[in-house]
Amino acid sequence: MGASQLTGFAMRDPQIESFEKRLHRIDQIHQAGGAFEASGALGRSYFDSMRPKSRRSIPLRGVALVFAGILLVKGAMLAQVGQESYEARVASLAGGSQFERVGAWIMHADPITRKIAGLLAPYIG
């Protein structure tokens, strides 16, 4: 075998292999949008952290929890005072001011409130 044939079989330097692996990792980071940032410099991570976070205008989870809480309170009141007394109190609210009429509309005994009252009645009893 001549010298030209041996060059194809020569072993690669481990330092060059390590360097090429590092270059490959850096290329992957760059393709993903990352970059080197010197300490003290205002790089991409600074501006990404300063960007305002998007929020929903109405917190749906909070609205749902308030709605569930109102239903639970209505059901507990209905179970405690009874159907007739509860409806009499709501009817007295309905004859009052605008604010009281809104309260009567909110507090009326709907089917969900009656179901909750039926479930709570043995415990409130």
Side-chain angles (χ1 to χ4, degrees), residues 13 16 28-29 31-33 36 39 41 44-45 48 63 88 91 104 108 114-115 118-121:
D13 186 4
I16 290 185
Q28 287 179 330
I29 291 170
Q31 288 173 357
F36 170 77
S39 62
R44 181 176 180 163
S45 63
D48 286 346
V63 171
H108 78 279
R114 289 188 189 109
K115 179 72 173 173
L119 294 172
L120 295 177

Side-chain angles (χ1 to χ4, degrees), residues 1 8-10 19-20 50 65 72 81 94 96-97:
M1 284 190 183
F9 294 110
F19 177 71
E20 288 176 351
M50 297 304 290
L65 286 174
L72 268 172
V81 299
S97 67

Side-chain angles (χ1 to χ4, degrees), residues 74-75 78 83 87 108-119:
K74 285 171 48 175
L78 181 61
Q83 182 77 24
E87 288 185 10
H108 78 279
D110 53 73
I112 297 172
T113 303
R114 289 188 189 109
K115 179 72 173 173
I116 292 172
L119 294 172

Side-chain angles (χ1 to χ4, degrees), residues 55-114:
R55 292 186 189 175
R56 286 189 203 139
S57 59
I58 299 174
L60 298 179
R61 182 179 296 159
V63 171
L65 286 174
V66 167
F67 184 70
I70 290 170
L71 287 175
L72 268 172
V73 168
K74 285 171 48 175
M77 287 172 48
L78 181 61
Q80 186 175 16
V81 299
Q83 182 77 24
E84 296 81 22
S85 177
Y86 185 84
E87 288 185 10
R89 292 178 187 195
V90 171
S92 71
L93 276 177
S97 67
Q98 182 71 26
F99 182 73
E100 289 173 334
R101 286 192 296 252
V102 170
W105 180 78
I106 292 171
M107 296 304 290
H108 78 279
D110 53 73
I112 297 172
T113 303
R114 289 188 189 109

